Amino acid sequence: MIGRVMLGAASLLPLAAAHGQSLPSVGVEATIDERRRGLSWSEGRASVSGDLAVTLGTIELDARVAALRGSIRHDNADAVADLGAAFVTGVGPFQLRARAIGHVFAGASSGMDYGEIGGDARYTLGPLELTAGALYAPPQDAIGGSNLYLSAQAVAGIPMTPFTLVGGVGRSSGTVDDPVRADRLRPGGSYRDWRLGLEHVTGPLTLALEYVGTDLAEGRPVSAIGDRGNSGDRVLARARVAF
């Protein structure tokens, strides 16, 4: 399945060239833990990923494949492919983006694929970039209901240095149709997450160190799929090479 996903993403390259748009962005990344919204998707273990993005005028297309190491959260999935499409436009000083993302899981013991829709607004002032966004997953069996993620992020380049400060907060909430499956994205219920980090960019190489955490209470009952042991605070290190 992962091979088919990468071949499908690669088929976008001739289309980009035909429209005379920017060259594709391709990268490979290694991290000590594949964490999203404060939750580990790789059971607290190291992961590698590859990504590709192309821009066709006001349309952005992207694909990312990450190793999940038999993730309990995703019913023993070995990998996930995130396939996204976005429409981007500018309104005054803001860049607005409407986005759809499909998450496709390889090796899962049951159907775990799900999709999200949403958007964000970005404002840039010198080295400072502020983004606020929302992603909504409509009710789906794979996630035991619906899921709404609200987020805000700040990125600030440190002048005259290769360092960038990054920080963000988010909140996950939604409806519950299946309490067990709902624990997959919200272990024990609605929660908040945060991240604070420092990136160092030298040519194609990005090195990053981040602190991520959640306000998930230890006393909340969580089913096995929620992988509660890998939902707490952690310092993450990652390295990415762009081509």
Side-chain angles (χ1 to χ4, degrees), residues 146-160:
S146 67
N147 196 78
L148 174 64
Y149 185 65
L150 304 176
S151 64
Q153 176 177 282
V155 177
I158 301 176
M160 308 299 291

Side-chain angles (χ1 to χ4, degrees), residues 46-236:
S47 175
V48 294
S49 64
D51 59 82
L52 179 150
V54 295
T55 300
L56 308 172
T58 59
I59 303 298
E60 295 179 349
L61 302 173
D62 60 87
R64 181 173 184 265
V65 178
L68 300 186
R69 313 283 302 273
S71 171
I72 292 176
R73 187 179 308 282
H74 305 300
D75 205 5
N76 304 313
D78 297 313
V80 59
D82 307 302
L83 309 176
F87 172 76
V88 183
T89 188
V91 177
F94 297 96
Q95 182 188 72
L96 305 180
R97 183 173 63 161
R99 182 166 172 75
I101 309 172
H103 305 283
V104 182
F105 295 84
S109 299
S110 61
M112 302 301 281
D113 304 345
Y114 69 96
E116 299 177 288
I117 55 174
D120 56 58
R122 181 175 301 170
Y123 177 76
T124 302
L125 179 63
L128 178 63
E129 180 181 279
L130 303 173
T131 304
L135 279 173
Y136 176 66
Q140 296 162 76
D141 291 343
I143 58 174
S146 67
N147 196 78
L148 174 64
Y149 185 65
L150 304 176
S151 64
Q153 176 177 282
V155 177
I158 301 176
M160 308 299 291
T161 78
F163 293 97
T164 299
L165 291 171
V166 298
V169 294
R171 184 176 188 274
S172 297
S173 61
T175 61
V176 176
D177 297 327
D178 179 340
V180 173
R181 283 293 178 98
D183 275 345
R184 181 184 177 196
L185 299 185
R186 299 192 310 277
S190 300
Y191 75 98
R192 296 176 179 82
D193 70 273
W194 52 81
R195 59 191 287 259
L196 180 64
L198 183 67
E199 295 182 349
H200 180 281
V201 180
T202 304
L205 176 64
T206 299
L207 301 176
L209 193 65
E210 292 184 335
Y211 163 71
V212 300
T214 70
D215 68 350
L216 287 164
E218 291 290 346
R220 293 184 181 183
V222 176
S223 55
I225 200 172
D227 193 15
R228 183 64 183 88
N230 289 304
S231 303
D233 298 359
R234 185 163 189 187
V235 175
L236 303 178

Side-chain angles (χ1 to χ4, degrees), residues 5-26:
V5 170
M6 295 305 291
L7 286 174
S11 69
L12 298 173
L13 305 189
L15 182 60
H19 284 74
Q21 302 298 331
S22 60
L23 293 176
S25 169
V26 181

